[in-house]
Amino acid sequence: MALGGVVLMVAFVFWEHRAEHPVLPLRYFRARGFTISNASAFFMHFSLIGSLFIISQMFQIGMGANALDAGLRILAWTAMVLVVAPIAGRFSDRFGARPFIVGGLLLMAAGLAWLGAVAGADTGYLVLLAPLAFGGIGIAMSLPSTINLALSSVPMEDMGVASGANNAMRELGGVFGVAFLGAMFAANGGYATPAAAIDGFRAALFLGGAMALVGMIIALFAPGRRPAEAAAPAAPEPKVAKTGG
């Protein structure tokens, strides 16, 4: 199945390269902002979705919470997005996306590493509150900023294409995150006892933090603030046939 996905992806790129009116104009990947925003979005959601998958199980299997209690505990992460994301989006428009993507992914990596370091079967929730909030603030800073960078890297008439491409990269990152963090859990722990489960969850959270750092390093090369119309290669102008006389 994985091999089939790779074959289809290669076929899609080949088709788009030859198509007269491609769904995703490949020339946009020559724009540094477009490429970096999508690469950062991939690793951001690799870390985000994979970590949320792990954290929800950690609260239930490793710490004995029921499903509702686990959801309420994760609010320390997810509620930060509701509060911080609108503010980060506005400031990203004013000061450029790069500092918010870099800073957000750094906070996210720190929060996950901190959470993995302190998590235990008997760890109190107050000990976990700060690292969860760090992770939530980090994603709230970086998510709208990666979207802003992607949209500002293409002409206005193709913003829908850029948004779709960025969304696809985020979804793809989430799929990889669940698969790889799940594999890291299986390699380092199991469901036999809460202690064994915690060992696996901690290893998976460290991997999630490492992937956020990879996204942060990529974002360091994002362009600074610049006008949207200068960000991406313009579409070629149609040729007009010359007439005599």
Side-chain angles (χ1 to χ4, degrees):
M1 184 176 294
L3 180 60
V6 172
V7 171
L8 288 174
M9 186 176 299
V10 171
F12 172 77
V13 172
F14 178 76
W15 179 266
E16 293 297 281
H17 180 70
R18 296 177 59 88
E20 184 177 356
H21 302 289
V23 174
L24 177 60
L26 298 181
R27 67 179 181 275
Y28 290 151
F29 286 98
R30 294 199 297 267
R32 186 156 50 103
F34 185 79
T35 299
I36 288 176
S37 67
N38 283 294
S40 295
F42 174 86
F43 285 102
M44 176 178 65
H45 272 66
F46 187 117
S47 177
L48 170 64
I49 303 301
S51 296
L52 287 177
F53 174 73
I54 290 296
I55 292 169
S56 63
Q57 293 188 73
M58 183 180 72
F59 281 137
Q60 295 177 75
I61 299 169
M63 300 181 180
N66 59 40
L68 177 60
D69 190 28
L72 292 174
R73 293 184 183 194
I74 295 175
L75 280 175
W77 178 307
T78 55
M80 293 297 103
V81 178
L82 298 177
V83 176
V84 178
I87 301 171
R90 287 198 297 271
F91 280 98
S92 176
D93 289 336
R94 292 181 58 186
F95 301 108
R98 181 171 57 194
F100 293 92
I101 301 175
V102 170
L105 288 172
L106 180 60
L107 282 176
M108 190 173 172
L112 289 173
W114 188 356
L115 188 63
V118 301
D122 299 323
T123 303
Y125 180 63
L126 290 179
V127 177
L128 307 177
L129 193 58
L132 285 170
F134 264 55
I137 293 170
I139 190 63
M141 290 174 59
S142 55
L143 177 57
S145 302
T146 55
I147 296 172
N148 284 351
L149 181 58
L151 297 184
S152 67
S153 299
V154 303
M156 184 175 296
E157 62 270 18
D158 280 343
M159 283 187 174
V161 174
S163 177
N166 191 258
N167 186 63
M169 291 303 295
R170 295 198 306 268
E171 295 297 331
L172 187 63
V175 170
F176 274 82
V178 171
F180 277 80
L181 267 67
M184 180 63 77
F185 167 81
N188 292 273
Y191 295 113
T193 64
I198 288 292
D199 289 340
F201 294 139
R202 293 179 65 185
L205 290 172
F206 288 138
L207 176 60
M211 291 300 100
L213 277 180
V214 172
M216 185 212 74
I217 292 170
I218 293 171
L220 288 171
F221 299 94
R225 183 169 176 256
R226 58 179 176 172
E229 59 270 14
E237 296 182 2
K239 295 182 179 180
V240 178
K242 295 182 180 181
T243 58

